[in-house]
């Protein structure tokens, strides 16, 4: 390998993953020098990276493609007027997005009797949506598949918090849906209050109503069970999976992914949900 021109070594390294390029840079001085080449890191950056940087809400300063790649891996980049955030996965270069609450379609979100918009210091976005009270909850979002990485399995997650004053959120599961063209995957998800004692008390208070609604669902033939359970994130928020989908490399790259969460059958009042957005992030690459 030491006999090959550096440009040739760089071209070879561009066919491995970013993580492997970093490992190979430790092998020899030839690899180390080639590993800084723009030839490599331009391949790891998404094809629309120049447009992404242009859409940034704040200046992005870099002197090389490698520096830009690492910058986009280390922190979320706010784009489109601060309504979305963009990031790259360091090991693979796969793209991820967070659609802010303002970027989502939330029923009655423009009515302060049902939702209020507020600022939280722990949010990456200027505003988050807080549910005051509503009986029919619907949250929907969408993203173009050509904005995502090809040959990648993606997961979508609602990013949220449950306030101390929350009520009615976990009495019935949310119905979830992921749609790509004619392909549809449905499931359920739960918005559990972190206070187990409060969840138990709500269960006792609404036991009769829960049983009545459960029988109604069974009569309609809706047997979706289980569902996603919330987990804590490292940024102080919670998340629950809406579903997953595969972005290939063919014609589906020109489509759109639509994701939704709904609870419209229970008709009980609910409140105290704080929504930051929906994250669309890679789960694995498909060979």
């Amino acid at each position: 390998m030491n006999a090959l021109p550096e440009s040739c070594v760089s071209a070879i390294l561009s066919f491995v993953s970013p993580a492997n390029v970093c490992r190979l840079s430790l092998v020899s001085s030839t690899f180390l020098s080639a590993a800084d080449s723009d030839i490599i890191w331009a391949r790891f950056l998404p094809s629309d990276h120049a447009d992404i940087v242009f859409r940034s809400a704040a200046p992005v300063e870099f002197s090389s493609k490698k520096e830009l790649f690492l910058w986009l891996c280390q922190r979320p980049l706010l784009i489109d007027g601060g309504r979305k955030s963009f990031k790259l996965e360091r090991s693979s270069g796969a793209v991820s997005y967070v659609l802010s609450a303002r970027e989502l379609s939330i029923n009655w979100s423009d009515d302060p009797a049902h939702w209020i918009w507020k600022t939280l210091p722990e949010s990456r976005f200027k505003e988050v949506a807080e549910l005051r009270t509503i009986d029919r909850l619907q949250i929907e979002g969408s993203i173009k598949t050509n904005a995502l990485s090809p040959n990648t399995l993606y997961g979508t997650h609602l990013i949220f918090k449950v306030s101390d004053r929350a009520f009615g959120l976990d009495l019935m599961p949310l119905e979830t849906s992921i749609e790509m063209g004619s392909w549809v995957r449905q499931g359920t998800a739960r918005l559990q209050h972190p206070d187990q004692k409060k969840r138990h008390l709500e269960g006792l208070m609404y036991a009769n109503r829960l049983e009545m609604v459960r029988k109604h669902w069974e009569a309609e033939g809706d047997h979706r069970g289980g569902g996603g359970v919330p987990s804590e994130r490292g940024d102080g928020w919670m998340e629950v999976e809406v579903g997953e989908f595969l972005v290939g490399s063919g014609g589906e790259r020109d489509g759109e992914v639509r994701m939704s969460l709904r609870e419209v059958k229970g008709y009980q009042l609910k409140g105290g949900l704080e929504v930051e957005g929906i994250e669309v992030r890679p789960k694995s690459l498909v060979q």
Side-chain angles (χ1 to χ4, degrees), residues 89-220:
E89 186 181 80
R90 190 184 185 100
S91 62
S92 66
V95 166
S96 67
Y97 281 89
V98 178
L99 311 178
S100 71
R102 280 292 189 189
E103 192 71 13
L104 305 177
S105 174
I106 303 175
N107 65 320
W108 298 105
S109 62
D110 57 347
D111 187 341
H114 298 295
W115 292 87
I116 60 172
W117 293 90
K118 66 180 187 179
T119 299
L120 289 179
E122 61 269 31
S123 175
R124 74 193 74 197
F125 300 115
K126 183 179 179 180
E127 292 179 301
V128 300
E130 180 178 6
L131 176 61
R132 299 187 69 181
T133 181
I134 207 166
D135 61 349
R136 297 168 63 89
L137 179 63
Q138 299 183 70
I139 302 173
E140 300 176 349
S142 65
I143 189 169
K144 299 290 186 182
T145 49
N146 60 16
L148 303 173
S149 299
N151 301 317
T152 303
L153 179 66
Y154 274 90
T156 61
H157 300 79
L158 178 72
I159 305 174
F160 70 98
K161 284 187 176 184
V162 176
S163 74
D164 293 335
R165 304 181 303 277
F167 57 93
L169 293 176
D170 196 38
L171 299 181
M172 295 301 300
L174 296 173
E175 299 177 63
T176 64
S177 175
I178 301 289
E179 300 180 33
M180 291 178 62
S182 60
W183 180 87
V184 180
R185 172 170 289 184
Q186 297 178 318
T188 61
R190 290 190 172 275
L191 301 178
Q192 294 176 314
H193 194 284
D195 187 334
Q196 294 185 1
K197 183 181 292 186
K198 184 168 183 177
R199 293 207 309 267
H200 178 67
L201 289 174
E202 282 198 340
L204 293 176
M205 291 172 59
Y206 292 93
N208 292 336
R209 182 168 181 79
L210 286 171
E211 182 63 17
M212 180 181 66
V213 175
R214 183 187 64 79
K215 290 180 178 179
H216 176 71
W217 278 30
E218 290 179 351
E220 289 189 347

Side-chain angles (χ1 to χ4, degrees), residues 1-2 13 20-33 35:
M1 293 293 290
N2 289 333
L13 291 181
N20 283 331
V21 167
C22 294
R23 294 188 186 100
L24 289 169
S25 68
L26 303 175
V27 172
S28 68
S29 58
T30 300
F31 279 136
L32 177 61
S33 179

